[in-house]
């Protein structure tokens, strides 16, 4: 500064150092600056303007100007730019500029990356939004849109439109009201959901939609026979039902209760009845059911409320006249709030169920066309009001002969098919089946028999597969009769196709287990040298594979090799005594598992003046204990009458036992057996051989009727008892039994104990 006012300055022009224009380093650096600038220009539109200005104002182009320009537009701070200006060495100056420009380029790249990331994020969000919109549109199109109220009510309206003619008007009215309500509710509110579910149930039920019933009695009979052997009373009852339906033109609902021991076909006949009548089948078990809501439904106000079983049934079967099987009705539980039995009564009673009211549904539904079939093991525990409305059909269990038929014609056939075995591949002889029934499956039902048969067939299947049999390709069944007759008439025989020229195939298991009495027989003519011996065929397994498909093998099961399939017999003879000794008499008992025989044993513990007393063992219930006391008193009276001098009861302490000691027993029906046992001891006379009896006794010696006549008769037959004594009042029950049950039994019906006395203790000529 030269002078302050006016401001005068002395200017000295800075001149760059001289430089060589053709210097390679300078050139190269300048090119680098230019190319970097170009790079930057691409990304930043801001710079374009600068370049324009530069080109306009600074026409000619040289290195120092380039350096200045680069630094100027680099956006670097003042100090750095000043540094460039002050540098007089052109080369250094260019380098400084290059540095600044490069830095700028980095910044610009970073800026680009940031921009890109932001842009991506924004477009991703947009895409999602777009897709969501599309999804909504698609859902709406398909009627899946959940919160679209109009679509929802449209769906319900469509559903009910189809049933409008048959639907009762009061239901239509409720549906209409609910639909209006649905429109007013907020879609996200909980009440909306309740209403929606409610409408869903209301509209899905088969209002007035009945399946066409088949009233053809012959057809029904055919189906019933197809599925079950025997059970004539049940079948007859069903046919009657169909006949009434045919005459009236409509069917009415009814309650049938099938009672009997497990495995006698109660459940399966229910299914069969449905098939015969062409009704839909629905089964629910009420065993242990304690909650009334299971039957009557919950009120809609509860969270997660559901309608009762009956409404669920109607929904699932889709017709208003199904057959509903209520299983185990005798095991109905007791509710803490409300009584399931009464609820069931409302459901079953034909007077009430025409307007059955489910708490959830809240509109009466007509169940009068539903056919109810209940099953129970015992009827004593069924609540009385329920029992009153049912028609009881009892199935007592099967005798050996019936079991044979069932096993042959039903169980075996089904099992064979289920196991994929062909009839020609297996033969179970009558003797084997009989042994199976008599020694393994003596209970009343056939479920265990079915299990044993399944066991046998599974084992056979394994044997066949081990031998390489495959049932898929059609086999050419050429069965050769065994040339070696089994000596004991009971060994399983595997017969091979004669075309097979290979060494005999041997089951590996067989080699290990010589007890499995199977002999392999080949056509003797062609394979004498290859005839298998248990030792000679251990390494033939490889050959087996290829030969397998050509071979047809048959497994024979007889009584002698039955053990190999089902193990040792589980039942020992029920009869402990061949001839009952003094003080022991056979009685007949009835349990929920069917009938059985049991012994009543009495012995003397000690004797002495005035020692008369009675102790009892054998897990006896109160009723049975009382009945023993009664028997003691009655026997004393009878003995006084028959042998006035006999002081036995007055002076002896008696012990009465009922084996088996681990089984709890109760009931009054052993009364007469106990008296006979005590009298036998008192008189030192054994009771008549092969005699069994049952009957409740009063203090005066009268015999009262008992239950389970058929079961008891079957049990007596099983134990090969010839003579049975029943109360006279049970004569009708016995007469109604099928002939094959009564056959060969000598039955006496008695009114008072003195008749039993005659039968048991006086010799046969006297009694006859
Ligand atoms: P439950 O309900 O009485 O305990 P199920 O109905 O389950 O017994 O019957 C058990 C099995 O026995 C079923 O496979 C059934 O097919 C068979 N069964 C029972 N009785 C007969 C019969 N009379 N004829 C053919 N199969 C029978």
């Amino acid at each position: 500064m030269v002078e302050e006012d006016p401001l005068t300055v002395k200017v000295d022009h800075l001149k760059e150092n001289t430089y060589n224009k053709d210097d390679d380093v300078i050139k190269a650096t300048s090119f680098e600056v230019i190319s970097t600038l170009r790079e930057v220009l691409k990304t930043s539109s801001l710079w374009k303007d600068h370049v324009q200005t530069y080109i306009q104002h600074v026409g000619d182009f040289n290195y120092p100007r380039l350096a200045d320009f680069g630094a100027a537009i680099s956006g670097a701070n003042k100090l750095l730019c000043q540094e460039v200006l002050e540098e007089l060495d052109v080369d250094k100056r260019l380098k400084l500029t290059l540095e600044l420009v490069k830095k700028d380029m980095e910044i610009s790249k970073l800026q680009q990356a940031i921009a890109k990331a932001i842009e991506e994020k924004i477009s991703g969000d947009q895409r999602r939004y777009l897709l969501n919109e599309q999804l909504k549109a698609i859902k709406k199109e398909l009627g899946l849109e959940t919160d679209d109220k109009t679509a929802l009510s449209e769906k319900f309206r469509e559903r009910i439109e189809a049933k409008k003619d048959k639907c009762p008007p009061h239901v239509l009215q409720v549906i209409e009201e609910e639909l209006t309500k649905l429109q007013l509710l907020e879609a996200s509110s909980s009440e909306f959901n309740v209403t929606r579910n409610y409408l869903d149930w209301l509209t899905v039920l088969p209002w007035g939609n009945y399946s066409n019933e088949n009233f053809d009695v012959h057809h029904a009979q055919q189906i019933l026979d197809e599925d079950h052997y025997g059970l004539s009373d049940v079948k007859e009852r069903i046919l009657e039902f169909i006949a009434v339906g045919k005459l009236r033109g409509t069917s009415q609902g009814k309650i049938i209760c099938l009672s009997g021991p497990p495995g006698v076909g109660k459940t399966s006949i229910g299914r069969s009845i449905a098939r015969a009548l062409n009704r839909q089948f629905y089964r629910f078990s009420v065993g242990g059911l304690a909650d009334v809501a299971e039957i009557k439904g919950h009120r809609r106000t509860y969270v997660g409320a559901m309608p009762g079983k009956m409404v669920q049934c109607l929904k699932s079967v889709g017709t208003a006249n199904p057959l509903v099987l209520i299983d185990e009705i005798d095991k109905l539980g007791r509710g803490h709030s409300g009584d399931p039995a009464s609820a069931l009564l409302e459901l079953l009673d034909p007077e009430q169920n025409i307007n059955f009211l489910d708490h959830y549904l809240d509109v009466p539904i007509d169940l009068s066309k539903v056919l109810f079939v209940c099953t129970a093991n015992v009827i004593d525990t069924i609540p009385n009001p329920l029992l009153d409305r049912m028609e009881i059909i009892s199935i007592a269990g099967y005798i050996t002969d019936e079991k044979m038929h069932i096993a042959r014609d039903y169980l075996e056939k089904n099992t064979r098919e289920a196991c994929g075995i062909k009839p020609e591949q297996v033969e179970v002889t009558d003797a084997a089946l009989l042994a199976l029934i008599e020694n393994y499956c003596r209970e009343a039902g056939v479920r265990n028999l079915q299990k044993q048969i399944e066991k046998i067939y599974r084992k056979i299947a394994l044997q066949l597969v081990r031998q390489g049999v495959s049932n898929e390709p059609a086999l050419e069944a050429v069965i050769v009769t065994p040339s070696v007759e089994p000596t004991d008439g009971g060994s399983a025989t595997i017969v091979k196709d004669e075309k097979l020229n290979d060494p005999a195939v041997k089951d590996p298991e067989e080699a290990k287990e010589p007890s499995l009495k199977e002999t392999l027989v080949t056509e003797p003519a062609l394979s004498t040298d290859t005839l298998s011996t248990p030792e000679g065929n251990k390494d033939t397994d490889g050959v087996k594979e290829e030969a397998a498909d050509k071979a047809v093998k048959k497994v024979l099961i007889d009584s002698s090799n039955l053990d190999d399939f089902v193990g040792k017999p589980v039942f020992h003879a029920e009869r402990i005594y061949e001839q009952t000794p003094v003080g022991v008499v056979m009685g007949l008992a009835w349990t929920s598992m069917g009938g059985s025989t049991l012994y009543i044993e009495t012995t003397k513990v000690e004797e002495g003046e005035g020692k008369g007393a009675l102790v009892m063992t054998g897990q006896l219930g109160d009723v049975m204990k009382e009945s023993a006391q009664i028997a003691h008193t009655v026997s004393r009276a009878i003995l006084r009458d028959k042998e006035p001098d006999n002081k036995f009861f007055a002076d002896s302490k008696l012990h009465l036992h009922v084996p088996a000691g681990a089984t709890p027993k109760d009931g009054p029906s052993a009364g007469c057996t106990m008296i006979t046992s005590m009298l036998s001891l008192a008189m030192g006379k054994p009771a008549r051989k092969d005699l069994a009896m049952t009957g409740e006794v009063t203090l005066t010696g009268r015999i009262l009727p008992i239950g389970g006549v058929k079961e008891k008769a079957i049990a007596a037959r099983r134990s090969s008892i010839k003579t049975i004594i029943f109360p006279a009042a049970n004569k009708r029950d016995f007469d109604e039994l099928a002939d094959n049950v009564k056959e060969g039994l000598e039955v006496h019906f008695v009114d008072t104990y003195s008749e039993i006395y005659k039968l048991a203790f006086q010799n046969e000529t006297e009694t006859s």
Side-chain angles (χ1 to χ4, degrees):
M1 187 164 66
V2 182
E3 196 178 302
E4 226 174 299
D5 199 16
L7 180 66
T8 318
V9 292
K10 185 173 168 243
V11 176
D12 202 352
H13 285 277
L14 263 182
K15 282 275 176 217
E16 299 86 5
N17 301 351
T18 49
Y19 62 95
N20 179 6
K21 268 191 180 168
D22 299 326
D23 183 70
D24 286 347
V25 178
I26 291 179
K27 257 190 195 165
T29 318
S30 74
F31 287 156
E32 184 54 25
V33 172
I34 291 170
S35 81
T36 312
L37 279 176
R38 280 226 176 93
E39 198 81 1
V40 178
L41 269 180
K42 268 188 214 158
T43 59
S44 167
S45 57
L46 196 74
W47 284 31
K48 268 186 196 149
D49 300 342
H50 283 275
V51 179
Q52 295 281 321
T53 334
Y54 176 75
I55 292 168
Q56 277 172 12
H57 295 280
V58 194
D60 72 341
F61 189 85
N62 59 26
Y63 297 130
R65 287 279 170 279
L66 177 66
D68 291 347
F69 173 63
I73 64 172
S74 73
N77 67 22
K78 266 195 279 185
L79 289 175
L80 291 173
C81 291
Q82 182 69 28
E83 228 175 86
V84 178
L85 277 179
E86 279 171 15
E87 184 55 61
L88 296 181
D89 182 74
V90 174
D91 182 22
K92 277 187 189 160
R93 198 171 182 179
L94 275 173
K95 285 211 169 91
L96 278 175
T97 303
L98 185 59
E99 225 172 86
L100 294 182
V101 178
K102 282 272 181 203
K103 203 189 253 171
D104 208 68
M105 196 184 74
E106 285 310 311
I107 290 175
S108 137
K109 268 189 192 162
L110 192 65
Q111 174 213 338
Q112 230 178 347
I114 291 171
K116 200 172 159 197
I118 299 279
E119 204 174 348
E120 250 169 33
K121 185 169 175 283
I122 290 172
S123 70
D125 284 348
Q126 248 174 358
R127 222 172 96 82
R128 182 166 299 129
Y129 171 77
L130 213 76
L131 286 176
N132 262 332
E133 284 301 302
Q134 278 175 350
L135 184 70
K136 264 189 206 163
I138 291 171
K139 272 190 175 172
K140 199 170 170 181
E141 200 63 27
L142 291 177
L144 298 172
E145 181 58 88
T146 43
D147 33 38
D148 192 342
K149 287 188 221 164
T150 9
L152 203 59
S153 15
E154 207 49 50
K155 187 177 95 183
F156 291 139
R157 250 179 235 290
E158 242 168 61
R159 262 201 215 161
I160 204 65
E161 201 58 43
K163 307 173 186 169
K164 209 153 198 161
D165 309 337
K166 294 175 185 165
C167 190
H170 62 268
V171 179
L172 284 178
Q173 193 186 341
V174 173
I175 293 177
E176 207 50 55
E177 280 165 13
E178 290 295 315
L179 279 172
T180 325
K181 190 168 141 199
L182 194 72
Q183 290 302 330
L184 301 175
L185 287 169
E186 185 58 47
S188 55
S189 70
S190 63
E191 200 170 343
F192 180 83
N193 269 328
V194 173
T195 313
R196 187 183 56 189
N197 283 340
Y198 181 45
L199 270 169
D200 192 27
W201 277 103
L202 274 181
T203 50
V204 86
L205 289 182
W207 299 107
N209 176 24
Y210 299 102
S211 66
N212 278 336
E213 264 196 283
N214 193 339
F215 292 127
D216 183 347
V217 178
H218 298 291
H219 167 80
Q221 173 118 42
Q222 194 186 334
I223 287 186
L224 292 173
D225 287 342
E226 226 168 72
D227 293 348
H228 291 88
Y229 173 83
L231 299 176
S232 45
D233 346 352
V234 188
K235 291 179 184 171
E236 199 64 22
R237 183 61 201 87
I238 303 307
L239 296 179
E240 285 165 18
F241 175 82
I242 297 175
V244 171
K246 191 176 173 74
L247 294 183
R248 278 175 46 130
T250 63
S251 68
Q252 76 277 51
K254 266 277 173 283
I255 323 170
I256 296 169
C257 178
L258 301 170
S259 86
V264 292
K266 299 183 297 295
T267 313
S268 66
I269 196 138
R271 206 178 288 274
S272 184
I273 297 171
R275 197 159 79 90
L277 290 173
N278 189 29
R279 284 177 181 235
Q280 295 288 329
F281 179 77
Y282 186 83
R283 166 177 180 263
F284 74 92
S285 176
V286 294
L289 181 138
D291 190 358
V292 179
E294 285 281 326
I295 296 166
K296 295 269 295 171
H298 304 100
R299 293 195 190 282
R300 279 201 308 286
T301 42
Y302 298 127
V303 177
M306 285 273 283
K309 265 280 180 323
M310 207 49 226
V311 175
Q312 294 178 28
C313 155
L314 292 182
K315 177 183 174 184
S316 84
V317 299
T319 56
N321 62 340
L323 182 146
V324 176
L325 186 92
I326 303 179
D327 233 349
E328 318 285 5
I329 200 162
D330 54 334
K331 299 177 193 66
L332 200 63
R334 285 228 133 253
H336 42 85
S337 60
D339 182 12
S342 327
L344 212 51
L345 188 64
E346 185 186 341
L347 175 70
L348 294 177
D349 187 358
E351 303 288 321
Q352 298 180 46
N353 70 9
I354 197 159
N355 280 320
F356 177 73
L357 193 67
D358 185 277
H359 285 156
Y360 182 89
L361 219 53
D362 219 16
V363 288
I365 45 177
D366 179 6
L367 297 180
S368 61
K369 297 282 190 295
V370 178
L371 178 61
F372 290 101
V373 176
C374 309
T375 77
N377 288 134
V378 284
I379 52 173
D380 311 356
T381 48
I382 302 179
N384 251 331
L386 266 180
L387 194 61
D388 213 39
R389 287 165 175 84
M390 292 178 185
E391 200 166 322
I392 308 281
I393 303 178
S394 55
I395 308 177
Y398 301 111
I399 58 174
T400 308
D401 184 42
E402 290 172 316
K403 283 191 192 170
M404 281 292 276
H405 276 107
I406 295 174
R408 259 280 175 259
D409 302 337
Y410 298 85
L411 305 180
E412 219 191 329
K413 213 159 75 190
N414 294 345
T415 317
R416 195 168 50 220
E417 274 164 24
C419 291
I421 297 173
K422 301 197 167 161
E424 63 267 18
Q425 287 173 324
V426 58
E427 187 185 339
V428 182
T429 63
D430 280 346
L433 217 47
L434 188 67
L436 188 68
I437 292 167
E438 298 257 282
N439 302 333
Y440 296 79
C441 315
R442 299 178 68 159
E443 61 287 307
V446 291
R447 187 173 286 129
N448 188 29
L449 183 61
Q450 186 180 15
K451 275 193 216 153
Q452 299 290 356
I453 290 178
E454 278 166 7
K455 203 161 154 187
I456 293 176
Y457 273 82
R458 278 201 308 271
K459 289 220 156 91
I460 294 174
L462 178 62
Q463 267 191 26
L464 290 174
V465 171
R466 278 208 173 130
Q467 288 157 15
V469 173
S470 147
N471 273 353
E472 274 155 46
L475 289 183
E476 209 182 308
V478 184
I479 297 172
V480 187
T481 9
S483 53
V484 186
E485 269 306 317
T487 44
D488 56 355
S491 48
T493 315
I494 295 178
V495 190
K496 292 203 316 143
D497 190 342
E498 60 177 314
K499 285 178 281 175
L500 188 66
N501 210 359
D502 290 314
V505 175
K506 188 87 168 81
D507 181 10
E509 200 181 58
E510 203 184 328
K512 275 183 259 143
E513 226 179 291
S515 74
L516 201 67
K517 290 182 214 146
E518 286 174 0
T519 21
L520 269 165
V521 187
T522 47
E523 189 74 297
L526 56 95
S527 55
T528 37
D529 51 344
T530 56
L531 186 67
S532 73
T533 58
E535 299 82 27
N537 50 24
K538 283 189 179 132
D539 44 7
T540 54
D541 285 13
V543 192
K544 185 169 76 179
E545 305 276 316
E546 343 157 359
D549 278 0
K550 282 181 257 158
V552 171
K553 303 177 184 73
K554 182 167 189 172
V555 181
L556 186 83
I557 293 157
D558 204 340
S559 53
S560 56
N561 69 342
L562 193 62
D563 284 14
D564 302 330
F565 290 90
V566 289
K568 293 265 170 275
V570 278
F571 276 98
H572 308 292
E574 262 178 38
R575 297 182 68 169
I576 316 176
Y577 307 103
E578 202 35 56
Q579 158 71 56
T580 47
V582 167
V584 179
V585 179
M586 186 185 267
L588 294 170
W590 177 80
T591 65
S592 62
M593 305 289 286
S596 76
T597 52
L598 89 183
Y599 286 102
I600 307 266
E601 303 176 330
T602 317
T603 56
K604 191 163 68 182
V605 183
E606 55 177 336
E607 195 169 358
E609 179 89 39
K611 290 238 173 184
L614 178 67
V615 286
M616 290 161 274
T617 53
Q619 288 276 322
L620 309 184
D622 285 343
V623 178
M624 204 157 173
K625 277 187 186 151
E626 283 184 2
S627 124
Q629 293 290 355
I630 296 169
H632 195 218
T633 313
V634 176
S635 337
R636 202 164 170 166
I638 292 175
L639 192 68
R640 203 181 306 126
D641 184 38
K642 304 278 177 199
E643 298 179 12
D645 301 333
N646 197 332
K647 290 272 182 293
F648 180 84
F649 286 110
D651 296 343
S652 329
K653 181 172 178 186
L654 302 184
H655 182 169
L656 180 137
H657 177 63
V658 189
T663 321
K665 311 165 194 75
D666 204 7
S669 70
C672 65
T673 324
M674 289 173 174
I675 301 180
T676 316
S677 157
M678 289 176 193
L679 282 178
S680 156
L681 185 70
M683 301 187 301
K685 251 199 223 174
R688 178 172 153 183
K689 193 168 184 266
D690 288 342
L691 173 78
M693 62 187 74
T694 176
E696 181 178 347
V697 190
T698 65
L699 261 185
T700 56
R702 291 196 71 85
I703 308 290
L704 302 183
I706 44 87
V709 172
K710 183 172 177 193
E711 288 87 347
K712 287 178 175 175
I714 292 174
R717 284 181 67 97
R718 234 181 6 229
S719 302
S720 348
I721 295 297
K722 302 275 162 10
T723 321
I724 350 182
I725 298 176
F726 274 133
N730 285 112
K731 185 163 190 321
R732 245 192 74 198
D733 300 330
F734 185 80
D735 289 343
E736 279 172 5
L737 297 186
D739 286 340
N740 56 4
V741 179
K742 292 191 276 191
E743 202 171 63
L745 283 178
E746 181 191 338
V747 186
H748 298 270
F749 297 97
V750 297
D751 256 329
T752 58
Y753 187 78
S754 50
E755 292 168 59
I756 300 185
Y757 180 86
K758 276 189 208 149
L759 286 163
F761 296 115
Q762 290 174 4
N763 62 38
E764 313 223 332
T765 44
E766 269 179 78
T767 51
S768 59

